[in-house]
Amino acid sequence: MDELRASVTDRRLLDRATQISRADNGSWHQLERAGDLTWARFHGTGEYRVALDLSGPRYRCTCPTATQPCKHALALHLIAVGQPSSLAPAAAPPWVATALEAGDGLAPKNRTPKGPSNARKTRRFEEMDAGARELDRWLTDQVRTGIAALPAHAVDLEALAKRLWDAKARGLARAVTGLIESPPAPGWQERVVERLGRLHLLLEAWRRRDALDEGLVADLATLLGVPQRKDDALDQTPVEDLWDVLGSKVDYSDEQHLVSMRTWLRGRRTDRYALIVQQEYAHDAPSGLPTSFDRTLQEGHAYEADLCFYPSAWPLRAEVRSRGGRRAGIAPPVLRTLAAAHSAFVDALAQQPWLWGIPVFVGGLRVERRDEGFLASDEEGSEVAVELADTYGWNLLAVLGGGPCALLCEWDGRVLHLVRPHSEMRP
Amino acid sequence: MSDVRWQDVFRVALLGTERARLPEPLPPLEGVDGTTLDGLLTGARVGSSPEHGLLAAAGLLWQARRAGRRVGVRPGNAPLALAPPEVVAVLGPRSAEVIDYFTRTESPLLDPWLDAAAARGRVAPYLRLCALLDLGVVDRARRARIFKVLGERGRWVAAQNPAWGWVRAFEEDVIAPDETWRLGLMEERTTVLERLRAVDPARGRALLQTTWSKDGASSRAAFIDALAVGLSEDDEPFLELALDDKRSTVRVAAARLLVRLPASRLVTRMKARLDPLLSLGIDVDAHLPVHLRGKETLFVALPKACDEGMLRDGVLPKVPYYRDGIGERTWWLLQMLRAVPPAHHVRRFRRDSRALVAAASGNEHARHLLDGLYEATVTHGDCDMAVALVDAMLEADSSPASGDVYPALGVSLARLLPPALRSARAQQTLRPPLRNGHPALPLLEGCDFVWSDDLAKAFVRAIRASMRVPVGESEAVRSLLAGAVLRVPASCVDFAKMGWPLTERVPPWTWAHAYDQFLEALRYREEAWAALDDVLPSDDPPSAKNHARSAVFESEAGTDSASMR
C-alpha cells in the first residue's frame, strides 16, 4: 500500500503533497471511497479530478503536470492511508473507472517495461540539457569576471537555482544553492573554486554521456536530479551474499516529519558495502520509527540475502530483494588502518569521481580529544579528525576510556563522519 | 594547500579570466609523478575557452587533491594514555537510568542517592559520567559528592576537557595544592582553597596570604568567601586586615565572616555603636494602641550618620534595591543589629529572649527591630532567641489583631529549633488548607530528617485536604511536597497511597497531579536505591562495554527511552 509513497524520492514533491493533503480550506470535494477505490475533486489552479486504486496502486489525475505521480494523487493517497475516516463511503462514479483505465498507474506489472520509460527518459534528459547549458554559461561568466564578488549575488544564485529546478535539474539546483555557505566562513573562496570545478566536470561528463558506461550515466542522471526508482534497482541482477548489518542511523526532520533510516551492510564474500534507505512521513508519531519501516535487519547480525543495487558506476544504495536466515554476530572489520580506508576511497573515486564519501568500517581505532575536536588514530599512528557532536563525543570517550574500537564511518578523504561505534567488536 | 598549480588556478578564478591567465603549461610538481594528471590538464585546456580550461583545471585539481591526500601520521605525539582500571565496582544500566531521571526532573533525591552510591564505594555508569561532570560545572555545591563517584574513568575523561577543570582541583592532592593555587583558573583556585580549608584551615589561610597582594578585587572577595569553610577565631586577624581593603566588595565579604565570630573586634565595635541606640523602658505614650500601652518597650534611636569606621566594618551606606522602602538610617541600624549576637542584648538588659521579643514588638520601629533580631539570630545561630521568635510569630499568626510586625518565618530560622521542638511546632501548625505563606511550610522544610510517623501522616492528611487551593497559590506547597519524598519514612508509604486518588471530584485546575508525582517519587525512591546493588561484573569488561556502547548509540539516534519504565 505504501508502494506509491516509497516510489517517490523527491522530498519537495512529498512536502507539497503533505500540505495539500492537510488543506482545510474547502479545496477538497467529494472525498469518497469504495473498497480500494478512492476519488475526489480538488480545487487548485483549476478543478482536478483525482482517482486512486490502492490495490494497484493505480492513479489518475486530470491536472496537466508531467510529474508522475502528481502531488494531487499523492495527497489523496496520504489521506487514504493517514486519515481514512475523512473519506465517505459511496458508489464509484463512472469517471473513476474510466480514468483509472486510461491512466498509466505506477505498478510495474501495469507498465510495459522499456519503451515508454525510455521515451520519457529521453524527454527528461533533453529538459535537463537545457538546464545544464544554462549552468555552463553561468559558470563561464563567473570565472570570466572572478568569483570574489560572488556572495553579493545571492539573489542571482537563487534565481538560477529556481530555473534549474524548473528544468528538472534539481540536483544542479541544489548544488547551486549550496555553492556559497551562508554566512561565508573564512576560506570560502577556495571551496567555491573547488565546487565550480566539480560542477564543470559534471556538466562535461553529462555532455559526453553517450561515450560513458551505463552505470556512470545513471550516477550522472542522479546527480543532475533524476530521482532513483526502486524498479531500476529491482531490474538489476541481485547480489547474493551473507550481509553483515553494520549499523543504522535514523534522522528526523522536525519540520516535515520526515523520518529516514539508513542501514549499512557489508557482504562477507563480496567484500562490498550496501546502503538501504527508507523514508517515510510520520504525521502522527513524531517519535519512534514509522511502522512501515522494515526493521528486520538487525544490527550486529548477518543475513543471507539477495540485494539489488541501484545502477551506478560504484553501486552502494540497494534494495533487499529476498532475505534468508539470520546469523548472530558479524565479521570483524577488514580495514585496520586509515591509510587502507583512504585507498578504498581513492579506488571508489576512480569509478565514480563525484562520490562525496564512502562508508568504511575500520577496526582498531582509538578516539581522543585534541584541541577543539575529536580524532581517531589507528595502529600505525595515523590520525584523522572525526566529526561528531560534542556531548556524544565525550560520552564515547568516557565509555571507551582510550581503548580501541571498531567504527562505522563515512569517509570523505578529509574527515571521518561517525555513523556509530561498534558494540559487538573487540578488535 | 601549498600546491603551486592550485594556487595559480585559485588566483585566476578570484581575479577572473578577463584580468589573468593560467600559465602555459602549469608549473610541474616536485617529487611526484604527475604525468597522468598533467596529461589530463593539458587535454582539458586544448581547444577550449580560457574559462572552460580554468574550470576543468579546478575540477581536476580538486579531485587530485582529495584523492592524493595523505592520511597524516601523528607528528611525534605520544598516543593517548589508556584510562586506568577501575578499583571499585561500576554501577549498572539501571543506575544510568536513575541518574538520567534524577537530573532531568531535578529531583531532590539525586544528592542523597549519590551519597549512598559513594558510601557503598560505587562508580557512576560510564555513560553518565559526562552528565555528572557537566552538573559539577554549574553546581559547585554538588562537586564533592560527584567527585566521589567519578572513579578512575571519570577523572581520566575530565582531565581532557578544560571545562571540567574543577575535577583537577579536587584531584590535586590537598598535600600539594600550591601549583594549582599559583597557576589555576579562578574556579580551580577557589575549589583548592575550600578543600584545603576543610582539612587544615590554617594552611588554607596561609596559602591565600601567599598571593593576596597580587589578587584582584573579585578574586579576593571570592577567596574570603571560601574561608567560610573551617572559619574560626584564628582567621580574625587576617579578616580584620582585609577590612582595610579599599574595595567595598572585599570589606563586605570580610565583615560577613567576622560577624560570625562573636569575639571579633568587629563585633565589639558594633556592640559599642549599637548599645547607646537601644534602651528598655515603659512607653506611656497615649497615642499608642491600648494593648501596647504601659508595656515594656525596646526604644530605638536611629544612627545619625554612617561614619568612616562603619564603612570600614562593611556597613553599606546606600539602601539596596531589595530593601526598597526603608530609610537610610534604618538600614544602617539593621546592619548593625545583624552583626551583634542576640545573646548580648539578653545579657545587657537582663531579660530573657521572650521578653526581649515582646519588648521589640511594641515599638514604632518594631518591624525593623524584629527584622534585625531575626537576621542576627540566624547569623549567630542563637537557638534560644529562635524559639522565642518562632513562638511569637506563630502566636501573632493565630491572632492577627496584634499587628503584622513580624517578618515571614523562614527555613533558616526554623532550622535553629531543636529537632524535637521543630517536629512538634510543625505538627501543631499543620492546619489545612496549606497555601503559599502558611507557617507550617518553612517549619516542615526545616525538619530535614526522616519524619516521625505522626508527622508524616499529619502532613499527608493536610496536603490532601488542601487540594482545592488554587494552583497559583500553592507553589510553595508543591515544592515542599517534592522535597518531602526524602522525609516520609518507609513505614508511611502505604499510608500515603491509601485512599488515593480521592473519590470526591477534584476540579481539574487543581494540583492533584503533584500528589501523584509525590507517590511516584516515593515508589521510585525504593527502586533507585535498589539499583545501587546492580553493578557490572568486573571480570567481564567486554560485555560491560558493549552495553554502554550500544547505549551511546541509542542516545545519539534519539531513540533513548531513558524514561522511568
Side-chain angles (χ1 to χ4, degrees):
Chain A
M1 188 148 88
D2 289 323
E3 224 174 311
L4 187 57
R5 261 184 298 173
S7 72
V8 178
T9 46
D10 180 354
R11 274 171 45 176
R12 297 227 191 171
L13 176 62
L14 268 175
D15 282 350
R16 281 201 303 273
T18 311
Q19 275 169 12
I20 293 175
S21 74
R22 291 178 186 162
D24 202 17
N25 49 5
S27 312
W28 290 100
H29 300 275
Q30 204 188 348
L31 269 170
E32 289 171 347
R33 72 182 159 84
D36 277 339
L37 289 185
T38 300
W39 60 93
R41 285 179 298 129
F42 181 81
H43 286 273
T45 323
E47 193 200 83
Y48 309 126
R49 287 188 296 183
V50 198
L52 180 68
D53 177 2
L54 290 171
S55 63
R58 293 184 301 155
Y59 56 85
R60 183 66 177 174
C61 176
T62 56
C63 76
T65 182
T67 314
Q68 293 299 329
C70 71
K71 54 193 174 185
H72 310 108
L74 208 48
L76 184 58
H77 180 258
L78 288 172
I79 293 175
V81 175
Q83 331 149 19
S85 56
S86 52
L87 298 170
W95 65 265
V96 173
T98 326
L100 283 172
E101 257 142 56
D104 52 2
L106 187 81
K109 305 132 211 164
N110 300 354
R111 203 174 65 187
T112 37
K114 292 291 171 191
S117 151
N118 274 346
R120 201 160 54 226
K121 202 188 248 178
T122 316
R123 209 164 59 230
R124 166 114 203 196
F125 281 8
E126 279 163 7
E127 275 179 290
M128 291 198 302
D129 277 339
R133 279 193 299 273
E134 167 150 25
L135 181 58
D136 179 51
R137 279 194 297 278
W138 185 84
L139 289 178
T140 310
D141 287 348
Q142 293 317 304
V143 292
R144 183 179 303 126
T145 54
I147 59 140
L150 201 52
H153 302 305
V155 183
D156 297 350
L157 269 178
E158 246 169 67
L160 173 67
K162 189 166 180 313
R163 286 196 300 277
L164 290 172
W165 189 270
D166 293 342
K168 301 224 169 62
R170 297 176 177 179
L172 296 181
R174 272 190 286 270
V176 166
T177 315
L179 196 58
I180 297 187
E181 306 127 30
S182 131
W188 64 268
Q189 296 94 336
E190 248 185 294
R191 287 189 292 278
V192 165
V193 175
E194 284 179 353
R195 286 176 197 144
L196 293 178
R198 175 184 182 275
L199 274 176
H200 172 77
L201 292 192
L202 184 59
L203 297 179
E204 271 301 293
W206 180 248
R207 195 168 59 80
R208 303 184 201 171
R209 64 181 176 270
D210 291 341
L212 299 175
D213 288 346
E214 206 178 328
L216 197 52
V217 174
D219 286 322
L220 293 171
T222 310
L223 284 165
L224 261 70
V226 181
Q228 290 175 306
R229 286 168 190 275
K230 196 170 178 177
D231 290 341
D232 294 342
L234 293 175
D235 286 346
Q236 305 292 311
T237 322
V239 178
E240 186 198 324
D241 202 342
L242 178 60
W243 296 95
D244 287 325
V245 183
L246 300 176
S248 59
K249 191 163 189 161
V250 180
D251 291 305
Y252 298 89
S253 117
D254 288 343
E255 274 169 39
Q256 295 149 355
H257 302 286
L258 181 77
V259 186
S260 58
M261 180 162 106
R262 290 177 295 160
T263 307
W264 283 266
L265 313 174
R266 192 173 56 94
R268 278 195 209 176
R269 297 187 286 270
T270 52
D271 189 25
R272 65 190 286 181
Y273 293 90
L275 172 65
I276 314 277
V277 181
Q278 303 185 75
Q279 283 187 329
E280 181 68 271
Y281 278 81
H283 304 295
D284 306 321
S287 60
L289 290 180
T291 44
S292 62
F293 277 12
D294 179 2
R295 274 172 290 183
T296 42
L297 291 179
Q298 279 176 0
E299 178 179 316
H301 295 283
Y303 297 82
E304 285 287 352
D306 289 348
L307 296 193
C308 289
F309 286 82
Y310 285 81
S312 163
W314 196 78
L316 176 66
R317 192 177 162 195
E319 297 286 345
V320 180
R321 180 164 185 146
S322 63
R323 188 180 56 239
R326 186 179 97 171
R327 276 207 234 163
I330 62 175
V334 174
L335 296 173
R336 304 293 302 181
T337 65
L338 293 166
H342 186 63
S343 101
F345 178 55
V346 173
D347 290 346
L349 282 184
Q351 307 296 318
Q352 209 277 64
W354 291 275
L355 278 176
W356 166 81
I358 61 164
V360 289
F361 183 46
V362 195
L365 293 185
R366 298 175 55 182
V367 180
E368 65 181 279
R369 174 87 173 185
R370 182 110 39 86
D371 305 324
E372 293 306 305
F374 293 94
L375 295 177
S377 55
D378 63 11
E379 287 153 359
E380 289 179 342
S382 305
E383 61 181 27
V384 294
V386 183
E387 189 185 84
L388 70 179
D390 248 19
T391 317
Y392 186 50
W394 284 114
N395 275 328
L396 183 65
L397 215 57
V399 169
L400 294 175
C405 73
L407 299 179
L408 172 64
C409 300
E410 288 182 300
W411 170 245
D412 65 1
R414 192 176 59 85
V415 177
L416 281 175
H417 303 262
L418 183 66
V419 175
R420 66 155 302 160
H422 221 273
S423 57
E424 299 301 317
M425 305 309 309
R426 287 294 293 163
Chain B
M1 288 288 147
S2 55
D3 180 352
V4 283
R5 294 186 297 188
W6 172 255
Q7 289 303 334
D8 278 334
V9 167
F10 179 52
R11 183 178 52 83
V12 176
L14 263 188
L15 294 172
T17 49
E18 290 173 339
R19 297 179 197 86
R21 282 290 152 93
L22 279 182
E24 186 70 55
L26 283 168
L29 284 178
E30 276 174 35
V32 180
D33 175 20
T35 329
T36 317
L37 183 58
D38 287 342
L40 282 171
L41 283 170
T42 317
R45 297 176 65 192
V46 169
S48 16
S49 65
E51 289 79 23
H52 277 161
L54 178 71
L55 284 166
L60 287 167
L61 287 176
W62 160 71
Q63 280 293 21
R65 272 150 43 99
R66 71 176 184 150
R69 184 169 288 140
R70 255 183 239 148
V71 175
V73 169
R74 184 193 290 264
N77 276 319
L80 180 70
L82 288 179
E86 217 64 63
V87 285
V88 292
V90 181
L91 287 168
R94 279 168 71 198
S95 294
E97 272 185 30
V98 170
I99 293 176
D100 186 54
Y101 178 72
F102 281 167
T103 45
R104 236 172 347 102
T105 56
E106 294 178 13
S107 165
L109 292 172
L110 177 61
D111 288 343
W113 187 86
L114 286 175
D115 291 344
R120 293 181 203 200
R122 305 272 195 257
V123 169
Y126 290 164
L127 196 52
R128 291 290 175 268
L129 288 174
C130 300
L132 289 175
L133 287 165
D134 281 340
L135 196 60
V137 172
V138 290
D139 197 341
R140 298 175 60 90
R142 283 213 168 105
R143 289 181 181 176
R145 50 170 54 94
I146 291 175
F147 183 76
K148 286 186 188 134
V149 296
L150 286 181
E152 295 291 339
R153 184 62 59 87
R155 292 193 290 276
W156 177 86
V157 75
Q160 300 171 56
N161 188 350
W164 295 330
W166 66 267
V167 176
R168 196 169 72 91
F170 254 89
E171 200 178 7
E172 291 294 307
D173 205 342
V174 183
I175 300 162
D178 303 79
E179 189 183 338
T180 313
W181 181 253
R182 275 187 295 111
L183 307 173
L185 303 170
M186 164 91 168
E187 227 13 21
E188 299 171 334
R189 298 179 68 195
T190 317
T191 311
V192 164
L193 183 58
E194 280 170 353
R195 295 248 300 155
L196 191 56
R197 287 284 293 180
V199 288
D200 189 348
R203 276 196 57 210
R205 190 178 58 244
L207 186 70
L208 172 56
Q209 281 168 311
T210 56
T211 57
W212 183 252
S213 54
K214 285 175 239 134
D215 288 324
S218 61
S219 327
R220 284 190 184 188
F223 295 153
I224 287 189
D225 284 343
L227 291 187
V229 181
L231 182 71
S232 75
E233 296 291 347
D234 298 339
D235 299 315
E236 201 265 353
F238 173 70
L239 290 172
E240 180 70 32
L241 275 177
L243 289 179
D244 290 325
D245 202 291
K246 60 177 182 288
R247 283 146 302 199
S248 71
T249 48
V250 182
R251 287 199 308 272
V252 170
R256 204 158 40 216
L257 294 189
L258 282 169
V259 159
R260 289 168 51 185
L261 302 170
S264 68
R265 280 167 274 176
L266 178 129
V267 170
T268 315
R269 289 194 295 273
M270 286 296 194
K271 282 179 192 163
R273 282 186 198 115
L274 192 58
D275 284 351
L277 303 179
L278 297 180
S279 60
L280 203 58
I282 305 291
D283 196 338
V284 290
D285 190 338
H287 299 297
L288 277 177
V290 179
H291 71 276
L292 293 178
R293 251 179 252 170
K295 285 197 178 161
E296 201 169 45
T297 303
L298 195 58
F299 290 104
V300 179
L302 293 179
K304 294 252 171 353
C306 186
D307 58 31
E308 287 292 313
M310 284 161 75
L311 288 176
R312 178 174 180 272
D313 285 344
V315 173
L316 295 170
K318 289 217 177 87
V319 185
Y321 69 94
Y322 56 85
R323 288 283 194 168
D324 202 18
I326 68 174
E328 248 182 2
R329 296 169 64 197
T330 318
W331 168 236
W332 302 334
L333 176 78
L334 258 179
Q335 295 180 80
M336 288 190 284
L337 268 172
R338 190 158 61 189
V340 174
H344 169 71
H345 308 301
V346 170
R347 272 195 308 276
R348 182 175 162 229
F349 295 118
R350 296 197 193 79
R351 297 287 187 282
D352 67 6
S353 302
R354 280 172 202 281
L356 268 183
V357 171
S361 61
N363 183 281
E364 53 170 328
H365 294 293
R367 179 185 289 275
H368 306 306
L369 264 177
L370 288 166
D371 250 5
L373 206 53
Y374 184 120
E375 288 182 26
T377 307
V378 171
T379 307
H380 298 278
D382 189 325
C383 299
D384 205 37
M385 185 58 80
V387 175
L389 275 171
V390 168
D391 284 351
M393 285 173 184
L394 294 181
E395 199 184 321
D397 204 59
S398 56
S399 56
S402 62
D404 184 20
V405 291
Y406 291 96
L409 175 55
V411 187
S412 46
L413 189 68
R415 284 224 175 90
L416 289 174
L417 304 188
L421 192 65
R422 233 181 290 169
S423 300
R425 290 285 182 272
Q427 207 169 333
Q428 281 163 21
T429 46
L430 252 178
R431 281 184 302 269
L434 301 177
R435 48 159 53 90
N436 294 347
H438 192 288
L441 303 183
L443 284 166
L444 278 168
E445 201 185 335
C447 291
D448 43 9
F449 39 80
V450 176
W451 295 343
S452 67
D453 279 19
D454 284 348
L455 180 58
K457 284 178 182 170
F459 171 73
V460 165
R461 277 192 291 263
I463 286 280
R464 288 183 177 195
S466 310
M467 286 294 149
R468 284 175 184 281
V469 172
V471 174
E473 294 172 29
S474 68
E475 291 94 343
V477 187
R478 279 176 284 150
S479 120
L480 176 68
L481 191 58
V485 173
L486 274 174
R487 311 288 170 227
V488 173
S491 54
C492 280
V493 171
D494 287 336
F495 179 85
K497 285 180 191 160
M498 233 183 330
W500 186 267
L502 297 176
T503 41
E504 136 197 42
R505 269 193 66 214
V506 175
W509 60 86
T510 56
W511 43 280
H513 68 279
Y515 195 78
D516 293 333
Q517 287 167 359
F518 166 72
L519 289 182
E520 168 74 16
L522 275 183
R523 195 193 56 73
Y524 195 67
R525 186 178 75 174
E526 310 300 317
E527 277 186 23
W529 261 257
L532 291 173
D533 296 325
D534 177 21
V535 297
L536 297 184
S538 54
D539 53 340
D540 187 18
S543 78
K545 285 182 176 129
N546 282 352
H547 172 83
R549 271 185 218 171
S550 14
V552 172
F553 170 65
E554 297 303 332
S555 58
E556 167 82 336
T559 52
D560 195 356
S561 61
S563 57
M564 286 329 299
R565 37 189 84 195

